[in-house]
């Protein structure tokens, strides 16, 4: 058996090829797995569980069918869908897990993160992240009319694209010392995360021991899936 990990699918109606790729994955590959972990930015944006257009309903029903096959689905918030809540999770049957979370799979302790909190050199983003994760900020946003929330989501997406294009590459990536610190604090030798859209398996040293950081890829032109089994970890990409 295998456990599957994905992140940064960025589902939205404007990207139908990505959506169809996920629907195929969820009906064909994922039901064969022991579990599926979605490590953030599953949706391109999320304005609250009270909003459901036909696209969201299709994704919701797809997740429900997957869970009903016997494959548990675990979801971690990303920087695009951190407002996804217990109502949507309850309808789909998936379970929300905290960022970070440590799980033991096939005898190995794995640290799971979305990855944005590791990018500590991007101080501007970290300031917004701290603010937007507070209950007061989220309650204030969710209290707005749907039309205003949709406009806010577009504004934040546009701003993110503009700022990302202007920032140096190293600022947009994780801070190596923060990676080591977090892994040492959680006493793990394997970290799995997404967010940076830079898929790779990095060999690193943590507390004098060989360790690894597995970065999941975004579902843009390719779909990235990490298969974790007793035989090891296999990060693969496939065409959409």
């Amino acid at each position: 058996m295998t456990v599957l990990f994905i992140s940064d699918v960025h589902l939205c109606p404007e990207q139908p090829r990505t959506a169809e790729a996920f629907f195929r994955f969820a009906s064909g590959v994922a039901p064969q797995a022991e579990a599926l972990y979605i490590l953030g930015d599953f949706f391109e944006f999320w304005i609250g569980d009270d909003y459901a257009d036909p696209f969201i309903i299709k994704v919701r029903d797809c997740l429900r069918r997957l869970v009903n096959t016997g494959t548990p689905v675990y979801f971690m918030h990303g920087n695009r869908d951190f407002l996804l809540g217990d109502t949507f999770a309850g309808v789909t049957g998936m379970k929300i897990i905290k960022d970070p979370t440590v799980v033991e799979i096939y005898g190995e302790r794995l640290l799971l993160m979305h990855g944005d909190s590791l990018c500590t050199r991007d101080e501007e983003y970290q300031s917004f992240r701290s603010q937007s994760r507070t209950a007061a900020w989220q309650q204030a946003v969710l209290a707005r009319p749907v039309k205003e929330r949709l406009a806010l989501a577009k504004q934040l997406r546009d701003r993110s694209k503009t700022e990302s294009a202007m920032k140096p590459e190293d600022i947009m990536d994780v801070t190596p010392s923060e990676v080591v610190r977090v892994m040492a604090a959680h006493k793990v030798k394997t970290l799995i995360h997404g967010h940076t859209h830079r898929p790779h398996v990095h060999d690193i040293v943590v507390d004098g021991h060989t360790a690894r950081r597995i970065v999941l890829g975004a579902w843009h032109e390719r779909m990235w899936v990490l298969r974790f089994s007793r035989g090891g970890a296999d990060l693969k990409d496939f065409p959409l």
Side-chain angles (χ1 to χ4, degrees), residues 180-192:
V180 172
R181 185 194 69 79
V182 171
M183 292 182 70
H186 288 87
K187 297 180 172 59
V188 298
K189 295 181 180 179
T190 298
L191 164 64
I192 303 173

Side-chain angles (χ1 to χ4, degrees), residues 149-218:
R149 280 181 273 158
L150 285 170
L152 176 62
K154 183 180 185 305
Q155 176 187 343
L156 291 175
R157 291 163 68 193
D158 291 344
R159 187 176 76 179
S160 176
K161 291 178 181 179
T162 300
E163 292 177 349
S164 295
M166 297 174 60
K167 292 176 181 176
E169 284 292 310
D170 62 330
I171 288 182
M172 301 297 295
D173 204 354
V174 301
T175 305
S177 60
E178 179 66 6
V179 169
V180 172
R181 185 194 69 79
V182 171
M183 292 182 70
H186 288 87
K187 297 180 172 59
V188 298
K189 295 181 180 179
T190 298
L191 164 64
I192 303 173
H193 73 82
H195 179 66
T196 63
H197 299 187
R198 302 177 184 188
H200 192 67
V201 179
H202 299 268
D203 294 322
I204 57 177
V205 176
V206 177
D207 283 346
H209 299 285
T210 300
R212 60 184 173 176
R213 176 171 67 94
I214 304 175
V215 187
L216 306 174

Side-chain angles (χ1 to χ4, degrees), residues 113-164:
M113 305 179 71
H114 175 57
D116 56 334
S117 64
L118 298 170
C119 303
T120 58
R121 288 171 292 194
D122 190 347
E123 296 180 359
E124 184 179 12
Y125 169 72
Q126 293 301 329
S127 177
F128 171 75
R129 186 182 191 278
S130 296
Q131 178 191 45
S132 62
R133 295 308 191 273
T134 64
W137 189 93
Q138 294 186 10
Q139 289 170 3
V141 169
L142 293 173
R144 296 184 182 185
V146 166
K147 186 176 181 180
E148 288 187 17
R149 280 181 273 158
L150 285 170
L152 176 62
K154 183 180 185 305
Q155 176 187 343
L156 291 175
R157 291 163 68 193
D158 291 344
R159 187 176 76 179
S160 176
K161 291 178 181 179
T162 300
E163 292 177 349
S164 295

Side-chain angles (χ1 to χ4, degrees), residues 7-11 38-49 75-85 88 94 96 114 116 133 138:
S7 73
D8 301 280
V9 183
H10 292 280
L11 288 175
I38 304 173
L39 302 186
D41 283 3
F42 180 53
F43 289 97
E44 173 68 3
F45 65 93
W46 192 262
I47 65 167
D49 291 6
F75 170 81
M76 177 179 288
H77 292 120
N79 54 291
R80 298 297 187 97
D81 48 20
F82 59 85
L83 288 177
L84 191 149
F88 184 81
M94 69 181 186
I96 296 177
H114 175 57
D116 56 334
R133 295 308 191 273
Q138 294 186 10

